[in-house]
Amino acid sequence: MNTAELAEWMVSLGEPKWRGLQLAEAIYRQRIVDVEGITTLSKPLRQKLDHEGWQVGRPRIVQAFTSADGTERYLVQGQGVDGLTVETVWMPEGDGGEAGDGSENSETTGAESGKGWNRATICVSSQVGCAVNCQFCLTAKLGLQRNLAVGEIAGQVVAVLDRHGVEVGKERVNLVFMGMGEPFLNYDNFMGAVRLLVEEVGLSPQRMTVSTSGIVPGIERFAEEPPEVRPKLAISLNAPNDEIRSEVMPINRKWPIEAVVDAVKGVRLRSRERITFEYVLLGGVTDQPEHAAEVARLVRRTGLPAKVNLIAWNPGPGIAYSTPQPSAVETFRRALSAEGVPVYLRRPRGRDIYAACGQLKRTVEG
Ligand code: SAH
Ligand code: SF4
């Protein structure tokens, strides 16, 4: 619930409207986790809410795995009665993917406030599993189990902010909606969560990036969002042409590259903002020099202010692709760069703790 909804609820209990603001302050800014602790409310009111069974909804981190590089991966359990979990990741130094998209500025970093991290990134899930059948992705193997609710999406972030004692507004945190699921196939809940995180928690949409496999109707809706709440956009391109893309991402048969790019052109970018094209390098399949030349032409032809984020495929059990040779990754990067395409390499994070998205859940839960 946002401030307005909390206020409406308070009014229905015969309380003044401003109680809604007090509640929002307590839940989202002070991040108080139990009704009893919200001391701005009168004791009788707290008792009444408690008596009626009201709780501050907060997903629970049920398991945490810490990597040698500081990355933490969590299994987070939502509020559903089904007890299903999703993966959420904390990367204390990001993974390089946030570079060059216009989000740099001069906020205090976590390191300056003595917390041992500099520009942390939280990777957030939007669905339990995924219905999009990308051939290289472990989450795809789960199928779609269900959508996450607004509170379950925003709650992952709040739970991780709490765990690391992050002071919103003072310390730099980036969000990437690149965990399990396809955000644009759970559009209303995804955007509802973004609005809560921006308007109530106080995070900036310019420090958030949503990644989509190219769901055209979702991109078209996204283009209509006001800039005050619209995250930045990343498109999982992952292949140099429609033929290869349809093989590795069958969704391309429904919405081919050109249709996706046309929809992206409808997004009114902020100053210095760029569209990110995510490109997973699959050894022998999408990592060849001729592919790099094709990607450069494709990106330039869009005419969009864009950058490419390369990521070497993270291997996972039961998937018959191979990780690219480091030399192929470097050759690919250089080729794009030589063609004048801004290109960044995403560093693998947490290799020792089931780095491939979906791998942790599958390994731990069988
Ligand atoms: N469904 C959305 C967001 C979640 S996937 C999307 O597909 O964009 C986030 C990113 O992880 C995508 O760019 C996807 O291509 C990439 N990805 C999935 N599995 C991967 C793997 N095993 N190794 C590297 N990247 C992977
Ligand atoms: Fe779904 Fe994204 Fe994985 Fe494709 S890459 S199956 S869209 S989570």
Side-chain angles (χ1 to χ4, degrees):
M1 283 193 266
N2 60 19
T3 301
E5 290 160 340
L6 289 165
E8 217 171 282
W9 169 45
M10 284 293 110
V11 170
S12 76
L13 295 181
E15 294 288 327
K17 198 174 159 196
W18 47 262
R19 287 260 181 250
L21 197 57
Q22 283 185 325
L23 270 171
E25 271 289 321
I27 295 170
Y28 298 111
R29 302 277 173 163
Q30 297 173 267
R31 305 201 296 256
I32 294 170
V33 294
D34 57 340
V35 173
E36 186 50 38
I38 307 177
T39 51
T40 46
L41 303 183
S42 69
K43 185 112 192 161
L45 178 56
R46 275 182 279 158
Q47 278 167 347
K48 178 174 170 189
L49 296 181
D50 195 42
H51 194 70
E52 288 181 2
W54 288 96
Q55 290 177 342
V56 179
R58 194 58 98 64
R60 226 160 44 87
I61 294 177
V62 288
Q63 288 199 62
F65 299 80
T66 305
S67 163
D69 68 20
T71 301
E72 293 187 2
R73 296 186 80 92
Y74 314 109
L75 278 182
V76 179
Q77 192 171 47
Q79 284 112 299
V81 284
D82 53 21
L84 290 175
T85 62
V86 290
E87 297 181 15
T88 309
V89 190
W90 162 265
M91 293 175 278
E93 300 303 328
D95 66 355
E98 64 285 358
D101 60 3
S103 71
E104 298 86 354
N105 75 9
S106 57
E107 272 169 332
T108 312
T109 65
E112 284 157 34
S113 51
K115 294 223 174 93
W117 51 269
N118 198 3
R119 39 153 65 200
T121 298
I122 302 173
C123 180
V124 186
S125 292
S126 55
Q127 298 181 308
V128 186
C130 187
V132 184
N133 190 20
C134 304
Q135 299 294 296
F136 51 84
C137 175
L138 269 172
T139 301
K141 302 232 168 211
L142 296 165
L144 177 64
Q145 300 188 1
R146 72 168 168 84
N147 280 333
L148 291 180
V150 172
E152 290 177 317
I153 300 172
Q156 290 168 63
V157 177
V158 177
V160 175
L161 291 176
D162 254 6
R163 183 181 172 93
H164 292 277
V166 176
E167 291 180 65
V168 172
K170 279 175 82 179
E171 295 163 341
R172 183 191 301 178
V173 176
N174 298 307
L175 300 187
V176 293
F177 294 91
M178 299 187 186
M180 310 182 95
E182 170 48 61
F184 285 2
L185 290 179
N186 184 18
Y187 190 88
D188 290 323
N189 292 350
F190 155 69
M191 265 316 292
V194 168
R195 277 192 293 274
L196 275 188
L197 291 166
V198 171
E199 291 164 0
E200 310 292 352
V201 179
L203 296 168
S204 161
Q206 304 200 47
R207 300 201 159 280
M208 301 179 187
T209 303
V210 59
S211 177
T212 179
S213 55
I215 309 297
V216 166
I219 300 171
E220 287 169 349
R221 287 187 70 186
F222 186 76
E224 300 300 318
E225 298 291 347
E228 307 82 62
V229 292
R230 182 180 58 72
K232 294 174 296 177
L233 182 60
I235 302 292
S236 293
L237 179 62
N238 294 345
N241 55 49
D242 280 320
E243 194 188 334
I244 301 180
R245 194 167 190 265
S246 292
E247 242 170 68
V248 298
M249 300 177 72
I251 188 99
N252 191 69
R253 298 199 184 103
K254 186 158 189 185
W255 291 299
I257 297 171
E258 199 181 322
V260 173
V261 168
D262 277 349
V264 172
K265 285 179 181 165
V267 179
R268 280 181 305 277
L269 299 178
R270 289 167 283 241
S271 76
R272 295 192 307 130
E273 183 179 352
R274 284 197 266 194
I275 298 291
T276 300
F277 288 104
E278 302 283 337
Y279 195 96
V280 177
L281 291 157
L282 302 168
V285 179
T286 61
D287 69 341
Q288 299 298 299
E290 66 267 24
H291 299 148
E294 226 175 325
V295 170
R297 277 198 301 276
L298 192 163
V299 170
R300 275 207 314 256
R301 217 175 35 234
T302 67
L304 290 162
K307 65 157 187 152
V308 173
N309 271 359
L310 296 177
I311 181 166
W313 180 66
N314 275 310
I319 303 191
Y321 286 112
S322 54
T323 303
Q325 297 295 326
S327 61
V329 176
E330 187 47 28
T331 305
F332 203 99
R333 190 189 66 75
R334 286 223 188 113
L336 284 186
S337 191
E339 295 286 336
V341 175
V343 56
Y344 298 85
L345 201 55
R346 287 175 55 187
R347 292 171 295 140
R349 305 272 74 198
R351 273 244 158 112
D352 49 341
I353 49 164
Y354 320 111
C357 179
Q359 192 177 358
L360 175 60
K361 183 173 168 71
R362 280 175 68 83
T363 309
V364 172
E365 297 178 350

